Amino acid sequence: MIDTLQNQDIELDLVGINKYDIINSITLTDVKDFLESLGVTQIDVHEDKQYLICPTICHNPIEEAESMKLYWYQNNKIFRCYTECNEAMSIFSLYQKYMAINEHPVSTEEAEEYVKSCLKHIVIAQSRQQSNYSIDLDRYKYSVNIPQLPEFSKKILSYFTDYHHPVWKHDGISDEVMDKFYIKFSIAQNKIIIPHFDINNRLIGIRARTLDPEEAKEFGKYRPFQIGDTLYAHPLQFNLYGIYEHQEGIRKRREAIIVEGEKSVLLDDKYYNKYSNAVACCGSSFNKYHISLLTDYLGANEIIIAFDKEYIDWKTEKAHKYRSHIEQMCKKYSNQANFSYIWDYDNVLQEKDSPFDRGKEIFEHLYKTRVKVR
């Protein structure tokens, strides 16, 4: 099978390490790290049988990839999709498929460069074994460049109603903050409209919070907004919600808070205005692009993880596993910034609450008692 894949892919020789050096050295842990860098959060690793399973990101946008039918087999170092694709692919081919599905196609060379940047420990180890080659290790010391996403015209925002729905006002989000973030309302679809801007204030996507209970139950509360044939989606792994509006606060404070959802960013803005520094990854994991935005672009020295509370009692096994997951993500990027995370020792939050949901005073208590990652 490997021979077949080699005939399909064009071999390149970047800085002396070719793609087959990578394939031959890759481990299950490396593949898991690679998938997490793309924003994949559900990964089932079976170390005893040397394979892992993840959602079908090879033919579904990441927010729609729900079928756990994409397998990685360690023995022959391939991905195999058992649904729509029904084919085998290398880690490089999967990345190209993933990027094309998420509307940012890349070349074979760019795919190889990305995988190398994810697995730089393999690149460095291989380079030491090849004395006839030299490698510029500084190329892999810093975060990768962040691709510029396609831009939508801001004129689309004028089609929505300037109405601040009571659901969000009841949650404590002020009219001033919703105006600042261009939060609007779609009467036709009964949805709160949430525009997403990149660090340069370009409109790169629109998400919507449905108020229809049946739709929320079937598809989830938050989805990319669609009008006719136009889907205002964007790859969430390349941006952070609130990065434009809160970049001043991040630069001033030299720290950033990563939260899960947009509402937490809006509450942070209400609490601290120009000193606000919360940004949302719109999920339960962060990646190298998110960290690069905060450290390389905005100069953050400390990154605070303020994810939703996924436990009732912090002493339970469930809480322990959740905490371990957060700490592992932090340690993965600890060479780029100091990391800490909010942990509810005093049970001041309800399960599923964001650290911002119960008011400024409770948030500040959680902030002061945050856990520093060593």
Side-chain angles (χ1 to χ4, degrees), residues 227-363:
I227 300 179
D229 295 330
T230 303
L231 181 66
Y232 289 87
H234 69 288
L236 296 173
Q237 73 271 22
F238 295 134
N239 195 59
L240 288 162
Y241 180 76
I243 192 72
Y244 172 74
E245 295 86 351
H246 286 176
Q247 60 180 297
E248 179 185 358
I250 293 170
R251 286 194 174 102
K252 285 180 176 178
R253 299 174 63 170
R254 302 300 297 275
E255 71 173 33
I257 302 172
I258 299 181
V259 299
E260 291 192 25
E262 294 98 335
K263 276 176 54 182
S264 296
V265 173
L266 302 181
L267 287 170
D268 178 60
D269 196 275
K270 176 188 175 183
Y271 299 160
Y272 301 107
N273 196 2
K274 66 179 181 179
Y275 294 103
S276 301
N277 63 340
V279 288
C281 58
C282 299
S284 56
S285 66
F286 51 90
N287 60 46
K288 63 170 64 181
Y289 294 108
H290 296 150
I291 302 305
S292 180
L293 275 169
L294 301 173
T295 58
D296 298 341
Y297 286 71
L298 299 181
N301 291 327
E302 181 179 359
I303 296 176
I304 301 156
I305 308 305
F307 283 176
D308 296 354
K309 183 178 178 180
E310 298 293 342
Y311 52 92
I312 298 175
D313 182 351
W314 67 269
K315 298 178 183 178
T316 61
E317 181 65 21
K318 178 182 179 181
H320 176 74
K321 289 181 179 179
Y322 182 58
R323 181 172 182 171
S324 177
H325 170 67
I326 292 175
E327 288 193 345
Q328 287 176 13
M329 286 194 293
C330 292
K331 288 177 180 178
K332 184 175 180 180
Y333 302 103
S334 60
N335 64 322
Q336 293 176 252
N338 296 316
F339 278 83
S340 58
Y341 59 92
I342 285 177
W343 194 251
D344 186 13
Y345 286 111
D346 300 314
N347 201 31
V348 294
L349 300 175
Q350 300 294 317
E351 188 179 15
K352 303 298 182 181
D353 275 352
S354 157
F356 289 89
D357 283 348
R358 299 292 166 177
K360 183 178 180 181
E361 183 177 344
I362 286 180
F363 169 75

Side-chain angles (χ1 to χ4, degrees), residues 73-248:
Y73 294 104
Q74 182 63 21
N75 63 336
N76 53 12
K77 311 293 181 72
I78 63 165
F79 281 99
R80 179 72 191 229
C81 175
Y82 287 98
T83 55
E84 187 172 318
C85 296
N86 194 30
E87 65 181 58
M89 64 202 87
S90 70
I91 191 171
F92 307 99
S93 300
L94 173 65
Y95 181 67
Q96 285 187 282
K97 280 176 165 285
Y98 168 86
M99 293 297 283
I101 287 294
N102 287 281
E103 302 182 354
H104 192 79
V106 298
S107 66
T108 303
E109 293 89 346
E110 290 171 321
E112 182 170 346
E113 191 70 13
Y114 179 82
V115 174
K116 283 185 177 184
S117 70
C118 285
L119 309 177
K120 61 184 178 182
H121 62 286
I122 296 177
V123 174
I124 293 171
Q126 288 292 333
S127 71
R128 288 171 178 164
Q129 298 174 17
Q130 300 186 22
S131 57
N132 57 325
Y133 290 114
S134 63
I135 182 171
D136 180 7
L137 299 184
D138 285 340
R139 293 181 63 188
Y140 300 98
K141 185 177 180 181
Y142 304 106
S143 300
V144 296
N145 291 328
I146 298 173
Q148 186 176 74
L149 299 178
E151 182 179 12
F152 295 106
S153 171
K154 293 180 182 177
K155 291 181 180 178
I156 183 62
L157 300 180
S158 65
Y159 290 94
F160 302 115
T161 302
D162 290 322
Y163 171 64
H164 301 153
H165 199 279
V167 166
W168 274 17
K169 294 183 73 169
H170 179 266
D171 288 338
I173 303 171
S174 67
D175 292 325
E176 293 76 14
V177 169
M178 284 194 269
D179 284 338
K180 177 179 178 178
F181 283 78
Y182 293 92
I183 303 299
K184 296 179 181 290
F185 190 73
S186 169
I187 297 175
Q189 296 194 28
N190 193 25
K191 294 175 180 177
I192 298 172
I193 300 302
I194 315 166
H196 280 234
F197 301 93
D198 68 7
I199 197 169
N200 296 313
N201 199 28
R202 299 166 61 251
L203 179 65
I204 56 172
I206 301 174
R207 295 225 302 166
R209 198 282 200 198
T210 183
L211 298 171
D212 182 338
E214 292 302 317
E215 183 178 355
K217 183 178 180 180
E218 184 174 0
F219 300 108
K221 290 182 180 180
Y222 294 86
R223 301 276 293 177
F225 189 77
Q226 184 167 2
I227 300 179
D229 295 330
T230 303
L231 181 66
Y232 289 87
H234 69 288
L236 296 173
Q237 73 271 22
F238 295 134
N239 195 59
L240 288 162
Y241 180 76
I243 192 72
Y244 172 74
E245 295 86 351
H246 286 176
Q247 60 180 297
E248 179 185 358

